[in-house]
Amino acid sequence: KAGVTQTPRYLIKTRGQQVTLSCSPISGHRSVSWYQQTPGQGLQFLFEYFSETQRNKGNFPGRFSGRQFSNSRSEMNVSTLELGDSALYLCASSLLYRGATGNTIYFGEGSWLTVV
Amino acid sequence: AQTVTQSQPEMSVQEAETVTLSCTYDTSESDYYLFWYKQPPSRQMILVIRQEAYKQQNATENRFSVNFQKAAKSFSLKISDSQLGDAAMYFCAYRTLLNTGTASKLTFGTGTRLQVTL
């Protein structure tokens, strides 16, 4: 079974540009969530989608947005990039039902974003 | 809101020895899940072990085991027979027990960097 797949793995953008990151969850997983990891702030929750609906959002500015498609694939977008947006962006998926397996969240390898 | 605290920024262990990583959390909920994730230099988050709060028995996965003390809100990870491949950043994480409509957000600690020496 394929894991969570994120593309692109590495990218460099200029301040003011926008970026779109893509995530394909594990087959059958309908919940997709995104996290930002930086040395200073650690791992922070961005948002979560389930059945194409955003169900939870972290404390990030409106420049950070996302969506989920009918096949559960998700994209996140960051507009008007700032230097501080340089980070590892991790996507995760979950079955989302009661029980240990349904409550476990599996991560992709991440997308490294560098803003210059 | 839940918080997770890992008070050991770095730990070191010799190969084949045992090491314990500490984690405490704060929550007002009675049912939840706790996880340990490993993040090697590749930066992929790999699930090490999970514990359901309603289970009194401590979870074990091969060389990895936890000491779950619900009343003390403590969730430590023990790695036995440490191997060079265990060197990584280890994160403790909390998740609310899933009910209908509950989001799947994980709350992470700040991590413990584990070094394994020969």
Side-chain angles (χ1 to χ4, degrees), chain A residues 37-48:
Chain A
Q37 186 176 23
T38 60
Q41 299 297 319
L43 281 152
Q44 292 187 287
F45 172 77
L46 278 157
F47 29 63
E48 187 226 357

Side-chain angles (χ1 to χ4, degrees), chain B residues 24-81:
Chain B
T24 59
Y25 59 94
D26 188 28
T27 183
S28 58
E29 299 171 337
S30 58
D31 287 320
Y32 45 86
Y33 284 89
L34 296 164
F35 304 89
W36 279 98
Y37 284 90
K38 168 185 175 181
Q39 190 177 45
S42 68
R43 303 306 289 272
Q44 175 156 25
M45 297 287 277
I46 301 165
L47 176 68
V48 174
I49 199 165
R50 64 189 169 205
Q51 174 79 43
E52 297 95 313
Y54 59 86
K55 287 189 177 179
Q56 291 186 339
Q57 186 174 8
N58 289 323
T60 61
E61 286 287 343
N62 301 313
R63 299 182 295 107
F64 299 88
S65 62
V66 298
N67 183 2
F68 173 52
Q69 301 290 328
K70 190 172 184 180
K73 295 180 183 174
S74 170
F75 182 60
S76 61
L77 174 69
K78 185 171 84 171
I79 306 174
S80 304
D81 186 27

Side-chain angles (χ1 to χ4, degrees), chain B residues 88-102:
Chain B
M89 196 76 163
Y90 285 82
F91 291 95
C92 178
Y94 173 104
R95 179 181 175 181
T96 298
L97 181 67
L98 179 68
N99 290 301
T100 302
T102 302

